[in-house]
Amino acid sequence: MPRYFYNVRTAGVLEEDKHGAEFLTYELAYEEAIRSACEIVGELIATGSVVDSRAFEITNEAGEILDTLQ
């Protein structure tokens, strides 16, 4: 089963997802990325943190960026 990683880039600094998660399809991985990004942004807003400098990158096991959520 393919493994996907959800990295967070804040003001150009990359925080890598070291573990990733396995999904049957990229579409399922993308849906989870959206849910996770919404949770993270919600927590940041609740604590008064800046959210406009963050991007969420979905990568495959080879490290290729498949999509970016901003």
Side-chain angles (χ1 to χ4, degrees), residues 25-70:
T25 66
Y26 171 73
E27 290 76 19
L28 292 172
Y30 183 81
E31 289 172 10
E32 179 59 28
I34 290 174
R35 277 192 291 276
S36 296
C38 287
E39 286 179 24
I40 291 169
V41 169
E43 290 172 11
L44 292 169
I45 290 170
T47 61
S49 298
V50 176
V51 296
D52 64 348
S53 64
R54 287 181 171 74
F56 302 89
E57 299 175 349
I58 306 167
T59 64
N60 60 17
E61 292 177 284
E64 300 168 317
I65 298 174
L66 303 176
D67 215 330
T68 302
L69 307 174
Q70 295 181 321

